[in-house]
């Protein structure tokens, strides 16, 4: 799972370098898929429940699951969420980040910062014996303290030999609901989706793209994190050059 996630991290690093005004979201999708295949991995999202591309790209008021297109050009002032997943040697990696294109508004900057911070606080809770709700609480508390809202309709998840496994990892606390304990070796994809305005979202007519109901901006960060005896281990933080991975997938 570390190796799968290092390929994801490598791809996101490449996308970070290529994200600039004028690039199409289609081009970014091609770059991610080519990087993935060059490392003998399979793009995890392509064909998943019929999703037509390898990369989810969601701009500004788009929350998640945006479809890359030759017609969509990235513009100065956009915030662009890129979510990528691969399968490698039978295991999945899954990670996402949101980046600013050139100068963006102070509100968008703050939205990205608070979302990223909420993920960091959540990662700290990935400890054996904690409940999943500790992750949810860390995110919700930080986000709402800063006047933003967390999406309810989509959640993080366990990840392993399948892309989406139990347990669900909500970004908000579900009152009066039992929350599973974190056990050694569990890997969770924690992915706060944070909106500047209402937490409510809609799905566009393409049946994929999720947008905020009030069309205010949204940010999304995701890491795949293992619970180990030594504490949280962020598998998708880039620590290895994927070129050094030994084998084909
Ligand atoms: Mg993802
Ligand atoms: Mg995920």
């Amino acid at each position: 799972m570390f190796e799968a996630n290092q390929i994801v991290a490598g791809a996101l690093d490449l996308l970070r370098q290529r994200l600039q005004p004028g690039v199409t979201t289609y081009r970014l999708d091609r770059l991610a898929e080519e990087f993935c295949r060059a490392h003998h991995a399979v793009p995890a999202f392509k064909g998943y429940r019929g999703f037509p591309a390898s990369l989810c790209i969601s701009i500004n008021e788009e929350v998640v699951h945006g479809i890359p297109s030759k017609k969509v050009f990235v513009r100065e002032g956009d915030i662009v969420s890129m979510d990528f997943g691969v399968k490698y040697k039978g295991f999945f990696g899954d990670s996402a980040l949101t980046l600013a294109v050139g100068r963006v508004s102070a509100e968008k900057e703050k939205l990205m910062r608070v979302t990223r911070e909420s993920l960091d606080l959540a990662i700290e809770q990935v400890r054996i014996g904690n409940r999943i709700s500790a992750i949810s609480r860390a995110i919700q508390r930080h986000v709402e303290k800063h006047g933003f809202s967390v999406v309810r309709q989509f959640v993080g998840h366990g990840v392993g030999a399948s892309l989406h496994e139990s347990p669900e990892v909500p970004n908000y606390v579900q009152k009066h609901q039992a929350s599973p304990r974190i056990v050694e070796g569990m890997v969770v994809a924690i992915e706060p989706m944070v909106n500047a305005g209402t937490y409510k979202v809609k799905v566009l007519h393409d049946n994929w793209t999720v947008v905020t109901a009030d069309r205010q901006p949204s940010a999304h960060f995701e890491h795949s994190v293992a619970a180990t005896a030594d504490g949280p281990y962020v598998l998708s933080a880039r620590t290895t050059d994927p070129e050094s991975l030994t084998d084909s997938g």
Side-chain angles (χ1 to χ4, degrees):
M1 291 198 70
F2 171 74
E3 293 182 349
N5 277 290
Q6 290 303 298
I7 295 170
V8 173
L12 291 176
D13 231 38
L14 173 66
L15 295 174
R16 182 197 299 273
Q17 294 162 33
R18 299 299 186 87
L19 183 71
Q20 54 187 326
V23 70
T24 64
T25 55
Y26 172 83
R27 178 76 189 126
L28 297 169
D29 175 72
R30 298 321 306 156
L31 285 167
E33 181 168 336
E34 284 160 17
F35 185 92
C36 168
R37 298 210 187 269
H39 292 87
H40 313 288
V42 177
F45 304 161
K46 197 166 202 174
Y48 182 86
R49 295 186 182 171
F51 189 76
S54 295
L55 183 69
C56 295
I57 309 188
S58 310
I59 301 178
N60 298 330
E61 75 278 10
E62 295 171 357
V63 180
V64 286
H65 304 164
I67 301 174
S69 164
K70 289 178 177 172
K71 292 177 191 158
V72 176
F73 295 83
V74 168
R75 294 169 305 178
E76 167 104 21
D78 285 344
I79 58 170
V80 180
S81 151
M82 297 185 284
D83 188 352
F84 193 53
V86 308
K87 187 179 190 185
Y88 182 70
K89 297 182 184 175
F91 289 93
F92 286 86
D94 190 6
S95 183
L97 82 182
T98 303
L99 296 169
V101 182
R103 284 174 62 89
V104 303
S105 70
E107 191 193 41
K108 283 177 172 174
E109 280 286 356
K110 182 183 170 194
L111 180 67
M112 288 191 298
R113 176 177 59 79
V114 168
T115 309
R116 174 67 233 207
E117 286 168 354
S118 77
L119 174 57
D120 290 338
L121 291 165
I123 288 167
E124 270 307 300
Q125 298 301 322
V126 182
R127 296 187 182 276
I128 297 163
N130 267 4
R131 291 192 187 277
I132 291 292
S133 57
I135 296 172
S136 313
R137 186 172 301 107
I139 293 168
Q140 184 175 21
R141 192 173 278 172
H142 189 67
V143 166
E144 294 183 353
K145 191 172 82 184
H146 287 90
F148 299 136
S149 65
V150 289
V151 171
R152 267 65 164 167
Q153 208 172 318
F154 298 88
V155 297
H157 50 93
V159 54
S162 304
L163 179 59
H164 296 121
E165 298 183 348
S166 63
E168 285 195 347
V169 184
N171 297 308
Y172 65 103
V173 177
Q174 297 171 299
K175 292 205 174 88
H176 315 299
Q177 272 205 43
S179 176
R181 296 262 184 211
I182 295 168
V183 295
E184 186 167 5
M186 185 184 269
V187 181
V188 284
I190 306 172
E191 47 180 316
M193 292 154 243
V194 176
N195 296 350
T198 177
Y199 70 83
K200 290 184 181 154
V201 298
K202 287 179 183 168
V203 180
L204 297 184
H205 288 302
D206 63 15
N207 287 324
W208 278 106
T209 311
V210 178
V211 299
T212 55
D214 58 9
R215 301 301 199 269
Q216 288 200 61
S218 184
H220 177 214
F221 285 85
E222 178 179 27
H223 269 311
S224 294
V225 186
T228 79
D230 300 324
Y233 180 16
V234 184
L235 300 170
S236 50
R238 192 173 185 191
T239 53
T240 292
D241 189 339
E243 308 304 328
S244 70
L245 298 180
T246 49
D247 225 317
S248 60

